[in-house]
Amino acid sequence: MVERKYLTYNQVHKLCQNAAPKILDEFKPNLMIAIGGGGYVPARILRSFLKTPGSPNIPIQAIGLSLYEQLSEEGPEEEIGTKVTRTQWLDFTSLSNTNLIGKNILIVDEVDDTRTTLQYAVQELSKDVQLQAEKLGGNPPKTNFFIFVLHNKDKSKRGTLPEEMVKAGRYLAAETVGDVWCCYPWEAIDIDEHDKLAAAGEATAQKDATNGTNH
């Protein structure tokens, strides 16, 4: 059975809070793109911590990508597919905030599992930037992509990110975990039971850490 890691809203909130100074100082985003559905809540929480006095809120746009295909009958786990399905994308005809040229764009998702979804997002958004640049002509300012995830699973990845993005440190995971199934609170049907499971998991982890220290 897959090991589960239950997260509470408080824990997610604090992960975003702890990551915000680095994002603000080093990434300096002026547009966020949340990958749905797991990136919506972290992006909204993060925006509050990225707000600077005298500056407007950073706009959040949404894209919908699906990789997980089949629900498990025994729990919240889903099977990982091999193909990313685009269910929602940016509308470049109606909103000025979808002008990507010259922006520092922060892509937000909840978990970096196989990295397939993140690879797809960066590749497809880069194509959109190229198309916009060709329409503008001349020498438009560079667009930079950054990535923030709540959890990176410490495992081999199917997908890859651009080498220059990785070398420049434009990827940030608030927390690195093993190959566990992360259960986020917005997925819960019974939030009270979810929080109890999260508390039990924390207590077990602390006990294991203490026993390891004593030995």
Side-chain angles (χ1 to χ4, degrees), residues 7 31 45 54 58 61 78 92 118 183 195 204 213:
L7 286 305
L31 174 64
I45 295 172
I58 298 173
Q61 297 294 324
E78 294 172 313
F92 295 104
L118 291 173
C183 301
D195 285 351
T204 300
T213 302

Side-chain angles (χ1 to χ4, degrees), residues 41-201:
V41 175
R44 178 57 191 90
I45 295 172
L46 195 58
R47 186 172 76 167
S48 295
F49 293 112
L50 298 180
K51 178 81 165 65
T52 56
S55 298
N57 278 316
I58 298 173
I60 301 175
Q61 297 294 324
I63 58 176
L65 300 175
S66 177
L67 178 65
Y68 297 96
E69 295 180 334
Q70 181 179 342
L71 282 171
S72 166
E73 296 180 0
E74 298 180 356
E77 298 85 0
E78 294 172 313
E79 292 184 6
I80 299 173
T82 57
K83 181 182 178 182
V84 177
T85 302
R86 184 192 293 203
T87 58
Q88 177 183 342
W89 204 251
L90 304 177
D91 181 359
F92 295 104
T93 63
S94 61
L95 296 172
S96 61
N97 287 331
T98 52
N99 174 19
L100 307 179
I101 300 298
K103 299 277 182 68
N104 287 335
I105 299 173
L106 181 64
I107 300 170
V108 181
D109 206 358
E110 88 278 42
V111 63
D112 180 1
D113 191 337
T114 65
R115 199 160 285 175
T116 309
T117 302
L118 291 173
Q119 174 183 327
Y120 182 93
V122 173
Q123 286 179 344
E124 295 302 303
L125 289 168
S126 295
K127 291 177 185 177
D128 291 333
V129 170
Q130 182 63 32
L131 288 173
Q132 288 189 350
E134 290 173 358
K135 289 180 180 179
L136 285 175
N139 187 24
K142 183 181 179 183
T143 298
N144 295 304
F145 288 104
F146 304 82
I147 289 174
F148 170 70
V149 294
L150 294 174
H151 295 98
N152 173 42
K153 293 189 182 182
D154 187 11
K155 58 185 284 188
S156 60
K157 308 291 188 182
R158 294 181 190 171
T160 58
L161 297 173
E163 186 177 354
E164 56 94 16
M165 171 184 279
V166 177
K167 284 186 175 180
R170 292 191 275 119
Y171 171 96
L172 176 63
E175 189 174 47
T176 297
V177 297
D179 191 10
V180 299
W181 187 265
C182 295
C183 301
Y184 294 98
W186 49 84
E187 299 167 344
I189 301 300
D190 185 337
I191 192 64
D192 293 323
E193 178 64 18
H194 178 96
D195 285 351
K196 287 178 183 178
L197 291 169

